[in-house]
Amino acid sequence: MKIIRRISGKIEDSLMKKNLEILLNEDIGTAYFSKDMEEDSHEYEMIAKIVDSHNLHDSIIGTKFSSQEILDSEILVFTGGRAFAYPQPESPDYLTNTYNDSCLYCGVFGEQENDFVIKKEPDLKKQKVMTLNWVFGELFAEINSYDLYFKPMGLDSRTLSLSKGGKIAEHVVQVIIPSLEKEIKMDELEFSKCPVCSRIKYIPSTIGFSPKPEIVDFNIVKTVEFFGTGHSANHKILVNHNVMRSMIEQKMAKLHQFVPCR
Ligand SMILES: [Zn+2]
């Protein structure tokens, strides 16, 4: 696991520019620079020493897991397939049309009441598992992939409606993912409480492993908890080791779409 940091700042004078270019071994331009680097790199070790004296900004922007760390994990977060359409009507009203008890302020919602609606039959190319823009906690699958992969796993599906012509999509269904039976212990994660509906959502962290649930006897589940910032909230989708492996083997997902839990 590697922590990725971003160093950025205003280039105040030619001396500063020269010092930074010696450290980074590259041309950094003239007005402002920004560079991402691994926390345990020599480069970062050197630049960290001058962050304060040069008024630079240093922040963690993410975590890079090794292939082995992903492939060896018992439980992983599936961060979703490629987005294939926007939910209709566009944000944020699709929430109230789709779910019960949804809150437009924080984005938290209750049971799904209606099908998602998209504009028209999607042009899928080779995609097998997809996500809707803004809706990261729900999975959609090309119909054959659903029949061959998700259905035998015992997962139900529901149709996806098309706003043009009032029909349903022929090639895509929503895969119904059950909820995890229990909340995950997340003592260390920050959360916010909505001033309108009083429900809680966790700040999604990109640093390190994702929290692992105590219950692990599932194929695919959604977390009980919501994650998000601003007006957005989604459940996380968790998969077990075998599902991660088979989704990669069957070209439904790529390695980097999984975040190991620990
Ligand atoms: Zn709310």
Side-chain angles (χ1 to χ4, degrees), residues 181-228:
E181 289 162 45
K182 214 174 148 186
E183 296 195 347
I184 303 174
K185 275 191 193 156
M186 291 197 290
D187 307 338
E188 289 156 29
L189 277 197
E190 275 184 80
F191 61 85
S192 61
K193 190 172 178 180
C194 177
V196 176
C197 73
S198 300
R199 287 176 288 190
I200 277 174
K201 67 180 176 186
Y202 289 87
I203 313 291
S205 167
T206 53
I207 306 163
F209 293 89
S210 199
K212 185 176 173 183
E214 287 170 53
I215 300 170
V216 294
D217 60 340
F218 57 77
N219 288 317
I220 304 184
V221 289
K222 280 189 228 184
T223 59
V224 176
E225 299 84 356
F226 285 92
F227 296 82

Side-chain angles (χ1 to χ4, degrees), residues 3 11 33-34 63 69 110 137 161-162 251:
I3 303 289
I11 304 164
F33 90 104
S34 172
T63 307
E69 278 170 325
S161 295
L162 306 177
K251 302 203 182 329

